Amino acid sequence: MNRVDRLFGIVTLLQSRKHVPAERISEKFEISIRTVYRDIKAIGEAGIPVSFEVNKGYFIVPGYFTPPVSFTLEEANALLLSQSLIGGFGDRSVQSTFDSALTKIRAVLKQVDKEKLALLDQSIKLQLPQQLNSEFEYLSKVQQAITEQHQLKISYASLKEETLERTVEPIGLVFYAFSWHIIAYCHLRKDYRDFKIKRIQTLHKTNLPFEISSHIPLSEYKLPVNY
DNA sequence: TGAAGCGTGGCGTATCGCTT
DNA sequence: AAGCGATACGCCACGCTTCA
């Protein structure tokens, strides 16, 4: 990696996090701490306002606007592959959002790279069994509920084919056994439950915040499979 | 081919803020 | 006040590239 690419990389890293210590930058770009200081100084001299807080690290002064990021062809290729995977494993809500993001990425590519990407687009195919078809569009709403910590109201078909109404606090999304599952705290059962998304008939976001202030991390929820 | 320039790492030292 | 960790920087040496 040449120095200019590394300087842009450091700016991108600083934009992606609240604070970044010098040691983290040196590890990420495999350079010495001494070079990190020189690079930070160079970024500052280029007009990008970098500041730091003791024991936290460097940060870009809030409010500073940087131009849109650009992508290399390799990065765009990797994202194109992700699009195929999301097409197979995501639902309609996530697919449309990802398509929108990839359109923006295509827009900032050089013309020659756009043509290469278009060629690659026609050369990738994901063949999945019929049971994986995702005819729902709940994933995006569930993601929002998790990040905003808002309750969800769902109607759910039980194994006995009864329709159950539940108010839940989602803590995570898990894909296993060829299906997406919401792991959530159920207000009725007063415990964490696993809701298979294919069995959800309706799903509504509420504006009600979580009642439980500190949920278990998703990693602590025991799934019925172990692979 | 050798000089010059550049980027980088290592070492030593200074400064600052926090903890004991 | 002393010790410590993080940051900052000067100095020097080394390797690589460029150019005459």
Side-chain angles (χ1 to χ4, degrees), chain A residues 10-26 28-29 36 40 50-53 56-60:
Chain A
I10 293 173
V11 172
T12 305
L13 179 63
L14 292 176
Q15 283 182 293
S16 68
R17 291 164 189 265
K18 204 169 179 184
H19 294 92
V20 186
E23 195 178 351
R24 168 96 180 90
I25 297 172
S26 80
K28 165 96 178 166
F29 295 96
V36 172
I40 292 292
V50 179
S51 188
F52 92 98
E53 276 186 46
K56 289 183 178 175
Y58 292 99
F59 62 95
I60 290 181

Side-chain angles (χ1 to χ4, degrees), chain A residues 128-187:
Chain A
L128 293 171
Q130 191 66 26
Q131 68 198 89
L132 270 178
N133 278 356
S134 305
E135 293 301 320
F136 51 86
E137 21 190 335
Y138 301 140
L139 289 181
S140 191
K141 280 184 186 174
V142 177
Q143 285 180 315
Q144 285 174 32
I146 292 169
T147 54
E148 291 166 7
Q149 304 210 324
H150 281 166
Q151 299 173 24
L152 289 172
K153 281 192 184 295
I154 59 174
S155 60
Y156 187 77
S158 71
L159 290 174
K160 296 175 186 171
E161 298 304 326
E162 296 167 329
T163 299
L164 309 171
E165 302 288 333
R166 293 282 190 272
T167 300
V168 301
E169 301 183 7
I171 63 164
L173 278 167
V174 184
F175 185 90
Y176 72 88
F178 302 105
S179 182
W180 281 103
H181 298 246
I182 303 173
I183 308 301
Y185 182 84
C186 175
H187 283 193

Side-chain angles (χ1 to χ4, degrees), chain A residues 76-137:
Chain A
N77 286 345
L79 289 165
L80 189 66
L81 196 62
S82 305
Q83 187 187 35
S84 298
L85 294 171
I86 284 172
F89 293 94
D91 72 349
R92 288 198 295 253
S93 67
V94 178
Q95 286 160 17
S96 62
T97 306
F98 195 89
D99 288 347
S100 161
L102 201 62
T103 300
K104 291 177 186 172
I105 292 164
R106 287 179 206 272
V108 299
L109 285 177
K110 290 181 284 189
Q111 185 59 36
V112 60
D113 288 344
K114 284 178 189 171
E115 288 163 11
K116 287 179 186 170
L117 196 69
L119 177 65
L120 190 62
D121 202 2
Q122 297 164 8
S123 310
I124 295 175
K125 185 180 179 185
L126 192 66
Q127 188 71 35
L128 293 171
Q130 191 66 26
Q131 68 198 89
L132 270 178
N133 278 356
S134 305
E135 293 301 320
F136 51 86
E137 21 190 335

